[in-house]
Structure formats: C-alpha cells, structure tokens
C-alpha cells in the first residue's frame, strides 16, 4: 500500500511573516498527521522560518528547485547542502513553470534528480503535457519522453524515495481539472513506463501525485483512483483550510 503524499507548492507567494502564519495555521490541523505525508514547499526565503514552525511535527519541508551542482560560481542557485541545513526533505524538480519560463530541459532535470538522490533528498519530478499536446493526441508521447529522460539511469531502489507528479499544464492554475478518469489513465501509463524501465517492484512502489487545480471538492474522487497517490497543490495550498481539506481526502 502506497502512503499518500500531499505537497503544497507555494510558488512565488508569501513573505516570511505570511509564510509563518500559514505554516502555523496548517500545523494546528496536521502536526500529528500520520496517514498522509504532508510537505510544505515555501519559496527559498521562507524555508528556514517554516522549518522552525514545523520542527517538532510530522510535517515535512520541501523546496521548489535545487541546483544540480555542489557549490561554486552559479549565481542565483541554491545547493543541496544549503537546503539540508534547513531540514528540507523533498525537492520539486522540473515543474512546468520552470520548463516553460526558465527553459529547464529533461537533461538538467535528470542531473538534479540524480544529485538529490545522491544527497538523500527526495525529488518530486514533475511531468505533464500542454493543451496543444493533449488536443493533438500527443499526451502519452510527451509524458513518456519526460519520464524516460528525466528519470534516466535512476536505479530501481530509488523509486521508493522519488515521487513523480503528473501535472497537465492546461490544468495548472486554470481551475480546469483533469477528470479523475483522464488523470488515472495517464498515471497508469506512467507506472507502466516505470515498470518497463526498472521493473514491477519499483513501479508498484513509486508514488505518483496529481497536480492541476486540485481542491477539497475534487480531491476525494481524484485520490480514490488506484494509481493516484497524492497531490501537488498550488493555489489551494495557500489557504490552510483548503489544504487541510485536500489532505483529509487522502486519509
Ligand atoms: P494549481 O498548481 O494547484 O494552482 O493548479 C499546481 C502546481 O503547479 O503544482
């Protein structure tokens, strides 16, 4: 049985003060949550403060990106050492906004995934098709390349640690959610690719989150699908009650 994982991707929202307020509100409901892995991914500037708020709880902290390099002349980048110093456990890698606006490619995402695993951080590797891909009937082809290239040369044993997030780009922040059947279909497809790449045991173990306008009202149906193992939540993660509503649906 795969344990569900619900992660809040706060994106470029929340000052330190606001982040502390939100983390405290989430902590009221979820400090002792054992049924679901709960992860908060604030912007880099608020990670320390959020880590301090949740330090004595079961809530995990994640980052929204990480450098593929250890240290050195990489202006604007943040390393694994810096994140681990702040008790970060998960790193979101290859989010569609990073692919789209900052031209991150599968090659670099793969380098980051390898670095994160080598340093005992858990990557949340995002994949997903754009609207034109779906309308052109290319969803599977696009997602397959992202999975095969992004997870290239990752050993089977690592699939208990890493998480895949399927996020159809047309559903992110748009209020348009994939239907549970559409999402389930792609999740099962992704699990099949993992099986082909590294075997049935890893495919059975890997957790695949859905992301894209997940809200408390659609979460129960999405999370009841056999291959949907959690959610990567943007907008609804910025409100403690909504985020709690989604986590509750995963319990
Ligand atoms: P959304 O974002 O929930 O606001 O659609 C999801 C994400 O981008 O991770």
């Amino acid at each position: 049985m795969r344990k569900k994982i619900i992660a809040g991707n706060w994106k470029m929202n929340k000052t330190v003060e606001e982040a502390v307020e939100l983390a405290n509100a989430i902590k009221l409901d979820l400090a002792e949550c054992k049924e679901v892995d709960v992860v908060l991914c604030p912007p880099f500037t608020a990670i320390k403060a959020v880590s301090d708020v949740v330090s004595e709880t079961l809530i995990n902290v994640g980052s929204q990106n990480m450098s593929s390099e250890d240290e050195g002349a990489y202006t604007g980048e943040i390393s694994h050492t810096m994140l681990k110093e702040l008790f970060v456990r998960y790193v979101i890698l290859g989010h569609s906004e990073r692919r789209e606006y900052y031209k991150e490619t599968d090659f670099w995402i793969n380098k980051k995934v390898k670095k994160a695993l080598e340093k005992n951080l858990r990557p949340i590797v995002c994949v997903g098709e754009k609207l034109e891909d779906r309308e052109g009937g290319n969803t599977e082809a696009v997602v397959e390349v992202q999975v095969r290239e992004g997870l290239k040369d990752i050993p089977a044993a690592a699939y208990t640690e890493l998480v895949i997030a399927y996020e159809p780009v047309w559903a992110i922040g748009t209020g348009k959610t994939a239907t549970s059947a559409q999402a389930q279909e792609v999740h099962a497809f992704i699990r099949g690719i993992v099986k082909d790449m590294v075997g049935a045991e890893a495919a059975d173990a890997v957790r695949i989150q859905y992301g894209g306008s997940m809200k408390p009202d659609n979460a129960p149906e999405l999370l009841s699908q056999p291959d949907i193992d959690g959610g990567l939540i943007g907008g609804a993660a910025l409100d403690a009650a909504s985020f709690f509503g989604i986590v509750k649906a995963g319990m």
Side-chain angles (χ1 to χ4, degrees):
M1 218 4 216
R2 294 180 295 268
K3 188 175 181 183
K4 293 239 180 340
I5 173 167
I6 306 289
N9 173 11
W10 296 3
K11 307 194 180 184
M12 198 172 73
N13 296 293
K14 305 291 173 189
T15 61
V16 171
E17 197 181 326
E18 291 163 349
V20 166
E21 193 183 322
L22 177 57
N24 269 314
I26 290 171
K27 179 171 141 175
L28 285 178
D29 290 316
L30 292 170
E32 301 299 324
C33 177
K34 292 187 189 68
E35 301 92 332
V36 173
D37 285 335
V38 176
V39 188
L40 308 183
C41 306
F44 287 125
T45 45
I47 287 179
K48 164 97 174 71
V50 170
S51 273
D52 287 346
V53 170
V54 301
S55 64
E56 308 272 294
T57 75
L58 297 177
I59 298 170
N60 298 280
V61 178
S63 69
Q64 299 172 21
N65 190 13
M66 184 197 82
S67 171
S68 56
E69 307 306 312
D70 292 321
E71 63 177 347
Y74 301 99
T75 301
E77 292 291 291
I78 304 285
S79 75
H80 55 83
T81 314
M82 296 165 182
L83 296 174
K84 288 177 73 172
E85 189 181 27
L86 305 183
F87 305 102
V88 164
R89 284 286 287 133
Y90 291 84
V91 290
I92 299 173
L93 297 175
H95 189 278
S96 64
E97 286 149 17
R98 299 218 53 85
R99 293 178 188 261
E100 180 73 10
Y101 306 139
Y102 306 103
K103 305 299 167 217
E104 274 193 26
T105 61
D106 291 322
F107 172 82
W108 286 102
I109 293 160
N110 182 244
K111 276 189 77 146
K112 291 178 180 194
V113 173
K114 286 175 177 161
K115 181 59 75 181
L117 289 167
E118 178 194 321
K119 300 299 175 186
N120 291 318
L121 287 162
R122 297 178 159 180
I124 297 177
V125 187
C126 304
V127 300
E129 82 285 2
K130 295 184 196 173
L131 185 61
E132 69 248 36
D133 302 324
R134 180 159 281 267
E135 288 177 347
N138 297 318
T139 297
E140 293 195 346
V142 167
V143 169
E144 176 158 11
V145 169
Q146 291 173 339
V147 172
R148 286 194 187 272
E149 295 298 314
L151 301 179
K152 194 172 178 171
D153 300 327
I154 303 298
Y159 283 77
T160 52
E161 299 297 307
L162 76 82
V163 177
I164 299 171
Y166 169 59
E167 301 202 299
V169 178
W170 48 271
I172 295 178
T174 59
K176 269 191 227 162
T177 325
T179 64
S180 53
Q182 279 173 325
Q184 165 57 27
E185 193 181 6
V186 183
H187 280 238
F189 174 73
I190 292 170
R191 204 176 295 288
I193 300 170
V194 173
K195 184 176 174 192
D196 184 56
M197 288 170 72
V198 286
E201 203 178 316
D204 193 47
V206 70
R207 293 186 291 180
I208 308 177
Q209 294 175 307
Y210 169 80
S213 302
M214 199 190 265
K215 305 270 184 295
D217 59 344
N218 59 29
E221 205 190 317
L222 285 160
L223 293 172
S224 67
Q225 300 299 310
D227 288 294
I228 301 184
D229 307 311
L232 183 54
I233 320 301
L238 297 175
D239 174 74
S242 299
F243 187 67
F244 177 56
I246 296 172
V247 174
K248 227 168 50 182
M251 287 180 180

